[in-house]
Amino acid sequence: MSNLTRDPTDSWLEVTTPRIPWARPMLGSNEEERVLEALRSGWISGGPCVDLFEERMAELLDAPHAIAVSNGTTALYLALSGLGIGRGDEVIVPAYGFIAAANMVLAVGATPLYADVQADTWLIEPEEIRRLWSPRTKAVIPLHLYGNVAGMDDLCCLAEERGVPVLEDAAEATFSRYRGRSAGTLGSIGTFSFHATKTITTGEGGMVVARDPETAARMRVLRDHGMRKDRRYWHDVVGFNFRLTNYQAAMGCAQLDQLSKIVGERQRIKAAYERGLSQIPGVVMQSFREPVEPVLWTMAVRLLPREETAAELRARRDLVMASMLRAGIETRPGFYALSLLPAFDCPDLPVSSLVSAGVICLPTFVGLADEDIASITNLLVEALEEAP
Ligand SMILES: *Cc1c(COP(=O)(O)O)cnc(C)c1O
């Protein structure tokens, strides 16, 4: 099972197959049947399941327009292109989080500006947005980390004052809510990922949701080679092929059939972890602000530095993870702060560096038993005691 959840490029402490993997997709007979049906229909590239998947996502998220794409990264590229962002433009992204947003800002030829995150929520810091803002700033990308949702009231206010769109990277917060509304639908555009480890999966896949019908129409054309719907092989604009296949969409629909189970399980897992983790000295959980109802992507804890530099904290964190892996528990480290990655021109921002060095993501998947969660929590305590 774990070969489904592990990227071939991920050599992180590849020791043995862990007793409890960090993630595991929930696939059953419904997925099998629906994918087979799609294959037998003969529609293997585009097809009716793609339309259905888009319709169902739009309805579940309460989004006016949903556009299925090949993955969460092309979703970001399409969103930026749909907003007309390119050379000479600046886009504010968090200095801590998965790399795709910064990568895609660079891919469209724009310049990312890096905002530090808050110490408790690990989300983009609004004060930082004010600090970075310039007349060239053309979008803000909050990244809804690990299922949390950034403070969209403040962000949208700020962006609206300046007439700039908010593009939510909701890849880790599919079906999380903020003031009762779905993450990804609070700004101008939202993007989602259906990678194997994500809340719902199509293997590889993604979605863009947009409020403005013209932006949505532009993105539909860009997704399909920039080709006109009513005139075959006529290209008004330079486009891409970012389409999702019909059988992947069929898997997506099958996952949506189980949505209440998926959401309920992730809420149960969060509560079970909180019971055990809240008492451990030197360890904090991610904070969720009052308007957020998270659908956790992964339970994450942060080791607090004890008279340590970020590098020393990272070394101790890695020992804790190695010791848990020896006990059969697979975990994932926090993302590298972008300041640590040579390809990105990101200054050292203090909170991002400490969060990056201290975060451990704990196993989170549908079916993870309460007893397993208790044993993971106990092993974390032991590993923390062992680490010097
Ligand atoms: C997973 C992820 C992506 C990329 O999605 P892919 O489908 O793997 O391309 C983008 N942003 C965030 C925050 C993610 O976690």
Side-chain angles (χ1 to χ4, degrees):
M1 206 37 135
S2 61
N3 63 342
L4 280 173
T5 65
R6 195 174 293 138
D7 296 332
T9 51
D10 189 358
S11 60
W12 173 255
L13 291 175
E14 198 79 54
V15 180
T16 49
T17 304
R19 180 169 62 85
I20 303 177
W22 169 67
R24 172 184 286 168
M26 187 191 73
L27 301 174
S29 54
N30 191 33
E31 278 76 8
E32 272 182 33
E33 275 163 33
R34 285 199 176 236
V35 170
L36 275 175
E37 237 172 70
L39 290 179
R40 288 176 184 143
S41 76
W43 293 95
I44 55 165
S45 293
C49 297
V50 177
D51 299 337
L52 185 63
F53 188 39
E54 288 180 344
E55 281 164 27
R56 289 183 68 184
M57 281 296 285
E59 193 183 330
L60 285 163
L61 296 168
D62 195 15
H65 307 279
I67 302 166
V69 291
S70 49
N71 59 61
T73 306
T74 52
L76 283 161
Y77 193 104
L78 191 62
L80 288 161
S81 312
L83 292 170
I85 290 166
R87 218 159 288 285
D89 298 336
E90 293 171 351
V91 179
I92 298 175
V93 300
Y96 177 72
F98 187 63
I99 201 64
N103 269 345
M104 292 305 101
V105 169
L106 287 162
V108 299
T111 305
L113 302 179
Y114 301 97
D116 207 358
V117 296
Q118 296 172 325
D120 59 344
T121 62
W122 317 340
L123 298 168
I124 197 164
E125 164 67 72
E127 272 310 308
E128 282 281 284
I129 295 175
R130 286 201 188 84
R131 178 178 70 83
L132 293 166
W133 210 286
S134 92
R136 290 180 299 279
T137 305
K138 291 295 153 59
V140 179
I141 306 187
L143 191 162
H144 300 320
L145 195 80
Y146 302 147
N148 208 346
V149 184
M152 292 301 289
D153 288 344
D154 286 351
L155 287 178
C156 290
C157 247
L158 246 169
E160 219 162 274
E161 269 170 32
R162 319 216 178 194
V164 154
V166 175
L167 193 178
E168 301 173 73
D169 183 349
E172 298 177 10
T174 310
F175 303 116
S176 287
R177 288 174 168 268
Y178 182 94
R179 291 202 197 291
R181 291 164 61 197
S182 297
T185 68
L186 300 142
S188 310
I189 294 198
T191 62
F192 299 87
S193 164
F194 311 127
H195 179 257
T197 66
K198 297 281 158 73
T199 302
I200 63 163
T201 186
T202 59
E204 299 281 356
M207 189 80 70
V208 186
V209 300
R211 203 183 291 164
D212 171 40
E214 279 164 30
T215 309
R218 203 159 45 240
M219 291 194 294
R220 282 193 186 279
V221 170
L222 288 171
R223 174 183 65 171
D224 195 10
H225 305 284
M227 186 161 68
R228 258 202 214 168
K229 270 254 173 291
D230 55 356
R231 194 168 173 194
R232 187 166 291 282
Y233 302 137
W234 183 266
H235 308 271
D236 286 315
V237 290
V238 177
F240 325 98
N241 174 0
F242 286 162
R243 296 181 308 245
L244 188 73
T245 66
N246 197 50
Y247 55 93
Q248 286 173 304
M251 186 189 284
C253 289
Q255 294 264 284
L256 292 181
D257 291 342
Q258 328 250 27
L259 188 58
S260 58
K261 178 176 178 193
I262 292 172
V263 169
E265 278 287 276
R266 287 180 181 269
Q267 283 162 349
R268 171 187 63 80
I269 289 166
K270 179 169 183 287
Y273 267 123
E274 280 166 350
R275 284 194 289 277
L277 292 171
S278 53
Q279 306 301 333
I280 307 178
V283 170
V284 290
M285 288 178 280
Q286 190 180 21
S287 296
F288 298 87
R289 297 268 195 265
E290 195 272 322
V292 180
E293 293 165 66
V295 175
L296 219 59
W297 175 50
T298 179
M299 185 67 199
V301 294
R302 182 184 155 211
L303 311 191
L304 297 171
R306 345 176 261 219
E307 318 266 309
E308 286 164 316
T309 63
E312 288 161 348
L313 171 62
R314 179 180 302 278
R316 178 162 65 89
R317 189 269 318 268
D318 289 353
L319 288 176
V320 169
M321 293 177 63
S323 144
M324 291 184 77
L325 188 59
R326 280 193 299 276
I329 313 298
E330 183 187 37
T331 59
R332 287 267 177 109
F335 301 109
Y336 281 103
L338 273 73
S339 59
L340 295 170
L341 302 172
F344 301 84
D345 190 18
C346 173
D348 185 17
L349 296 166
V351 183
S352 292
S353 296
L354 281 178
V355 170
S356 161
V359 164
I360 302 178
C361 299
L362 302 173
T364 308
F365 52 86
V366 172
L368 178 65
D370 283 354
E371 303 86 77
D372 286 335
I373 292 173
S375 116
I376 292 164
T377 310
N378 292 337
L379 281 164
L380 175 64
V381 174
E382 283 170 29
L384 280 162
E385 283 165 3
E386 263 172 44

